[in-house]
Amino acid sequence: MVSIKGKVALITGASRGIGKAISKALAQEGVNLAINSRAEEGLLILKNELKDLGIDILICPFDLRDSKAPKLIIDKVIEHFGRLDILINNAGIALSKSIMETTEEEWDEIMTVNAKAPFFLCKYAIPYLKKSDMPTIINISSVVGTKGYVNQGAYTASKHALTGFTKVLAQEIHEDGIRVHIIAPGGVATDLVTIMRPDIDPATLIKPEEIANIVIFLLKFRGNAVIDEINVRREKNTPWR
Ligand SMILES: NC(=O)c1ccc[n+]([C@@H]2O[C@H](COP(=O)([O-])OP(=O)(O)OC[C@H]3O[C@@H](n4cnc5c(N)ncnc54)[C@H](OP(=O)(O)O)[C@@H]3O)[C@@H](O)[C@H]2O)c1
């Protein structure tokens, strides 16, 4: 287990849910943060919550639906910190609709936020990650990165796309020493799950802090063994299903 104190991490979707929990866990480890989401307010609240930890926090309020956002975010991070060690593509949106009900606009929006933006954030981050001594990308996919659930057609397609390009990315930048991981959770207790799975008993949902702990483990576990993907299910769910 290595120390990650003093590293610089960019986390998208940091204002709420899983991204906020990851940001807090990284801050506790002494990692300097660039935090992104659309709304500035949630980022300022998080920055204030972490103000006593002695880390540098840059807020990056950009809308990932804007195709210019990935480059603008990386440019801002490099302008401020001069480096980047960890990229966590966490921001995501959900849609609970049958394929027959899904509009072209909804398809485009979900594919842009969940797949296209992470793709280009990786692309623009890689030249800087190559200069880091522990370069790491963690993409937050989902159980539907490999499975398919009814009424989640567009969301499932977006997470399959994220999972698919992540597999290729990991191979293309392996020689540069950049580690690439996927975390694929089932239901986590956030705003998003209330849209997708209102049927699940909230008491049985995975806690965002549990996903954050997995992120910290992946970052600090730097032996010869590398974990490509971690699938995380709710304890109540049947194993291997
Ligand atoms: N919750 C689950 O059950 C679950 C399960 C598997 C995978 N996941 C994945 O985990 C990730 C985080 O989800 P969550 O459950 O934490 O969701 P959440 O609570 O709804 O939070 C989503 C985050 O993404 C940001 N975001 C949304 N649209 C954005 C945009 N266009 N540009 C920039 N930021 C944007 C939101 O902030 P703003 O609204 O301010 O922009 C927020 O910070 C997602 O990729 C999701 O697919 C979640």
Side-chain angles (χ1 to χ4, degrees), residues 13 15-16 18 37-39 63-64 90 141 155 159 185-186 188 190:
S15 62
R16 295 183 270 123
I18 297 170
S37 73
R38 280 171 302 184
D63 188 338
L64 294 174
N90 163 79
S141 184
Y155 183 66
K159 291 298 185 181
V188 184
T190 68

Side-chain angles (χ1 to χ4, degrees), residues 46-73:
L46 176 58
K47 183 173 179 175
N48 190 48
E49 286 173 10
L50 302 176
K51 69 177 184 318
D52 295 333
L53 291 175
I55 56 164
D56 191 358
I57 302 176
L58 175 71
I59 66 159
C60 302
F62 288 93
D63 188 338
L64 294 174
R65 291 173 297 184
D66 177 357
S67 63
K68 296 190 197 72
K71 177 138 192 339
L72 290 172
I73 293 170

Side-chain angles (χ1 to χ4, degrees), residues 24-213:
K24 284 183 165 183
L26 289 168
Q28 291 290 345
E29 295 285 336
V31 175
N32 299 305
L33 304 180
I35 48 176
N36 157 261
S37 73
R38 280 171 302 184
E40 192 170 0
E41 194 190 352
L43 299 177
L44 288 171
I45 291 169
L46 176 58
K47 183 173 179 175
N48 190 48
E49 286 173 10
L50 302 176
K51 69 177 184 318
D52 295 333
L53 291 175
I55 56 164
D56 191 358
I57 302 176
L58 175 71
I59 66 159
C60 302
F62 288 93
D63 188 338
L64 294 174
R65 291 173 297 184
D66 177 357
S67 63
K68 296 190 197 72
K71 177 138 192 339
L72 290 172
I73 293 170
I74 299 297
D75 286 351
K76 183 167 175 158
V77 172
I78 298 305
E79 191 185 327
H80 183 84
F81 290 106
R83 59 187 277 204
L84 180 64
D85 303 290
I86 300 157
L87 168 62
I88 302 183
N89 281 304
N90 163 79
I93 53 172
L95 181 71
S96 180
K97 278 191 176 179
S98 71
I99 288 171
M100 290 304 290
E101 291 168 326
T102 301
T103 67
E104 187 177 349
E105 290 71 27
E106 287 168 334
W107 166 269
D108 286 343
E109 183 179 18
I110 207 161
M111 292 301 288
T112 301
V113 176
N114 293 4
K116 182 178 174 185
F119 184 103
F120 285 98
L121 278 160
C122 291
K123 172 178 165 146
Y124 295 124
I126 284 165
Y128 304 103
L129 291 173
K130 278 183 183 176
K131 298 177 192 163
S132 167
D133 60 2
M134 59 156 301
T136 310
I137 294 172
I138 300 178
N139 288 344
I140 308 296
S141 184
S142 160
V143 65
V144 297
T146 48
K147 295 181 185 174
Y149 287 172
V150 169
N151 290 332
Q152 298 191 16
Y155 183 66
T156 297
S158 73
K159 291 298 185 181
H160 269 66
L162 177 70
T163 300
F165 92 70
T166 303
K167 289 177 185 174
V168 177
L169 179 73
Q171 294 170 59
E172 290 184 353
I173 60 180
H174 177 237
E175 294 294 322
D176 297 309
I178 305 175
R179 292 195 179 185
V180 182
H181 309 282
I182 288 176
I183 300 176
V188 184
T190 68
D191 296 344
L192 185 142
V193 85
T194 59
I195 302 169
M196 300 304 275
R197 295 296 305 274
D199 56 305
I200 298 179
D201 174 2
T204 69
L205 290 167
I206 299 160
K207 293 183 177 64
E209 293 74 21
E210 296 180 270
I211 304 300
N213 286 339

Side-chain angles (χ1 to χ4, degrees), residues 215-234:
V215 167
I216 299 300
F217 171 74
L218 282 175
L219 290 169
K220 295 183 73 172
F221 181 72
R222 307 290 294 190
N224 286 340
V226 180
I227 300 163
D228 293 323
E229 176 167 348
I230 296 188
N231 296 299
V232 190
R233 67 170 168 85
R234 287 183 302 119

